[in-house]
Every structure is written in C-alpha cells, then in structure tokens.
Amino acid sequence: MRIGIITPAPPGSRYGNRVTALRWAGFLKRSGHRVTIGQEYEGEPLDLLIALHARRSHRSITRFQRRRPGSPLVVALTGTDLYIDLKRSGRARESLDLATRIIVLQPKAREELRPEWRDKARVIFQSVAEQRKKSPEAARKASRSRRFFDVCVIGHLRAVKDPFRAGRAARLLPESSRIRVVHLGGAMSEEMARRARAEMETNPRYLWLGEQPPARVRRVLLRSRLCVLSSRLEGGANVVSEAVVAGTPVLSSRIAGSVGLLGEDYPGYFTTGDTTGLAELLRRAESDPCFLAELEERCESLAPLFDPALEEAAWAELIEELSKLFTPSGE
C-alpha cells in the first residue's frame, strides 16, 4: 500500500509531530508499505493518507479527499486540535467529518469528540524504545549527581508548555533542598531565550541547556530523579511515556492529556499553573522516600503501555481494518 504521512513540522526538526511521523513511517515500512512523509499533500497517487493535525493539515486533507475519492483518510489529533481548534475552527471540524478514522494518543481524548467522530476514533499510545536495558538500574543510580537532586524538564520553550513553572517552584523550596531543575529544549523565540537566561541568572536552582541531541536528552532523563511536565494542554505528551519507560517518575499538571496516560488517581499531579502545589510535590518527593517509591512503582506499572510492539500492532490492525473497507487503486 502507498501511504503518505502529512505533518506540519519541517524536515529535520525535532518537533513532536515530526518525531511521531518518523516513528509511524518505520512501523509501516516494516509491514511492507511504501511510505512518504511531507508537509503537504501534492496530489500523489496514494492509497492512504495519514494527516497529523486536523486544522493545520486541512488543505491536504480536503485535497486528498477531492483527488482520491473513496481512498481511506486517517487524521491524527494533537493537543491543540483537541482542546482548542475543535471548538474554534470549522476547518478542524471538517477534517474530522472527512476522516475515515481518527487517531488519538490517550483514551480521555475521546471525550472531546462528537459521537459521530468518537465512533471513528482509535487510541494508539506513543511507544518508546526500551532504555533501561542500555542503562541498568545500578549504573543509572551511580551516574546521578551526588550534589543535586536533579529534576528534568524536557520540551521546547513555548507558552503552552508553561516552561518556567518548575524553576519558579524550585525557588520556594527550603534552603536545605538539593533540587536542581535541568531544562532541555530550544527557545521558540528570542523573548523565551531571554527569559530562560534571566531565570538562570537569578535562580541558582535552574539550569537551561537549550536544545540537545536525543542521546543527551535520554542521558539526562535517566539520571534525573523526577521529570516535570507543566504544560497547559497536551494531546498525549511523548515525554510522559519516555520518562515512564526510563524509570523516572513524573510530576504533571492535571491536564486531560496526562490523566489519559497516567490514570485518574496518579499521585503526582498538581493544578495547572500552581507553583506552590508543584513546590510541595517536589519537596515531598525529595524528603519522603515512600512517596518517591510510590511514584516510581506507579510509573513502572504503566511502562508496558508504551511497548513499540504494541504500537506497531495497533497500526497493523488499523491498516487491516481499512484494507477491508477500501481496495487500493491499480495506478
């Protein structure tokens, strides 16, 4: 089957949508399909189009529907789609009307969909290649800083990520705390870069490393005692699954995208934008070994959800489902 994947993220970027597209393409190619990735659909003779982002990929979606009528169309929803665009954008809603199937990254996302869309929705968890095998627990602990209780924040500096929340929370910790917030992610504007540098200058507990190669991000994640996700919205953040698989427990804002991955009763939530609440969780995790162990155990129990074999099997099942509905053209 000839499959096209459309993502607004440009080639070579490390945006989540581009990383997701590359991972999905790998699964599909291993199943024997011919896969291309682009920013827009240009009219190629495809048997199936997979479009990430309902609003931003709307032009490609409608063009494919016009030029390849009767061919299956899959729309994968981002957090912006789910929690902003579907309420405001007619284009986003039309994309879902046209979709044959809709992909969401965690089960709570289905609650945001109209009944007619929900019937077309399939949940596919984002997987992570096993990392613990490459870094045994004893070696991982030995590599941790003895001076600091490191807490990582992984994500680009964008307003929707609320990127400085962990740094602000660290300011509220007692003087005896060894917590240091290590932030990895590129600044999406010069203003964000200035704010990060200013935070470092005035906050001895905050270290911004900027954008880093994936290998270094993994090393920092493995060595950290906690990972903080402070976003205001997410469709199903890949950093959550990465942290869980790495064995690094998560503290997250209580947003639907995280609750859908971690569960309603996960003990590591704080209210979105609540600096004091996050500071209290940080203090408790550092000072209460039982609480930290509880977070670690909960995350360990979730790790099987993010097995690449499960994600690949979910895509194989979806392609088989679509193949029964449509017959590829002979072009």
Side-chain angles (χ1 to χ4, degrees), residues 15-33:
Y15 289 103
N17 287 345
R18 171 64 60 166
V19 174
T20 297
L22 290 168
R23 189 176 66 255
W24 289 351
F27 293 148
L28 295 168
K29 287 177 181 178
R30 282 196 293 275
S31 296
H33 302 290

Side-chain angles (χ1 to χ4, degrees), residues 77-85 233-236:
L77 297 181
T78 67
T80 305
D81 284 324
L82 284 164
Y83 304 112
I84 296 178
D85 289 343
L233 64 86
E234 293 280 356

Side-chain angles (χ1 to χ4, degrees), residues 130-329:
E130 179 62 61
Q131 296 171 12
R132 277 186 165 181
K133 292 177 183 176
K134 301 176 184 177
S135 180
E137 190 66 14
R140 186 163 79 106
K141 289 181 177 179
S143 70
R144 287 172 172 165
S145 170
R146 297 186 179 183
R147 179 182 175 189
F148 298 107
F149 185 100
D150 279 331
V151 175
C152 66
V153 176
I154 298 172
H156 295 304
L157 277 62
R158 301 167 52 204
V160 71
K161 303 289 187 183
D162 196 10
F164 305 112
R165 189 63 53 193
R168 291 171 183 166
R171 291 173 178 264
L172 303 181
L173 296 171
E175 188 175 347
S176 60
S177 172
R178 297 187 298 115
I179 282 179
R180 174 179 66 173
V181 174
V182 181
H183 192 164
L184 301 96
M188 297 294 96
S189 67
E190 183 53 37
E191 171 60 22
M192 279 293 187
R194 284 196 296 269
R195 289 179 62 183
R197 290 191 291 266
E199 186 69 25
M200 279 198 295
E201 290 172 3
T202 59
N203 183 354
R205 296 187 185 277
Y206 178 81
L207 176 64
W208 176 49
L209 299 180
E211 187 166 1
Q212 296 292 324
R216 187 175 187 194
V217 174
R218 285 193 293 271
R219 286 197 299 272
V220 171
L221 180 59
L222 285 163
R223 293 171 182 172
S224 296
R225 306 300 300 273
L226 295 166
C227 177
V228 171
L229 178 76
S230 54
S231 296
R232 301 183 187 280
L233 64 86
E234 293 280 356
N238 199 44
V239 69
V240 171
S241 50
E242 288 173 348
V244 166
V245 172
T248 303
V250 178
L251 298 180
S252 175
S253 49
R254 183 179 273 278
I255 55 175
S258 291
V259 174
L261 294 174
L262 298 169
E264 292 280 355
D265 62 345
Y266 181 74
Y269 294 127
F270 58 95
T271 301
T272 306
D274 182 3
T275 306
T276 302
L278 175 55
E280 174 55 25
L281 284 175
L282 291 170
R283 183 205 62 76
R284 188 178 173 195
E286 181 184 18
S287 62
D288 182 350
C290 291
F291 178 60
L292 184 60
E294 181 183 7
L295 292 173
E296 290 171 342
E297 289 167 6
R298 290 293 295 271
C299 287
E300 184 174 359
S301 71
L302 293 168
L305 286 176
F306 311 119
D307 184 340
L310 292 182
E311 187 177 21
E312 186 164 1
W315 272 106
E317 182 179 345
L318 177 60
I319 297 300
E320 182 179 0
E321 180 183 355
L322 291 171
S323 69
K324 292 177 180 178
L325 299 174
F326 299 90
T327 302
S329 69

Side-chain angles (χ1 to χ4, degrees), residues 43-69:
E44 305 92 317
L46 301 175
D47 300 310
L48 166 65
L49 185 72
I50 301 167
L52 284 87
H53 209 302
R55 179 182 60 81
R56 295 179 65 191
S57 296
H58 175 264
R59 182 163 64 177
S60 293
I61 289 166
T62 54
R63 181 180 293 160
F64 180 78
Q65 193 273 339
R66 288 194 306 270
R67 298 195 180 185
R68 309 293 295 179

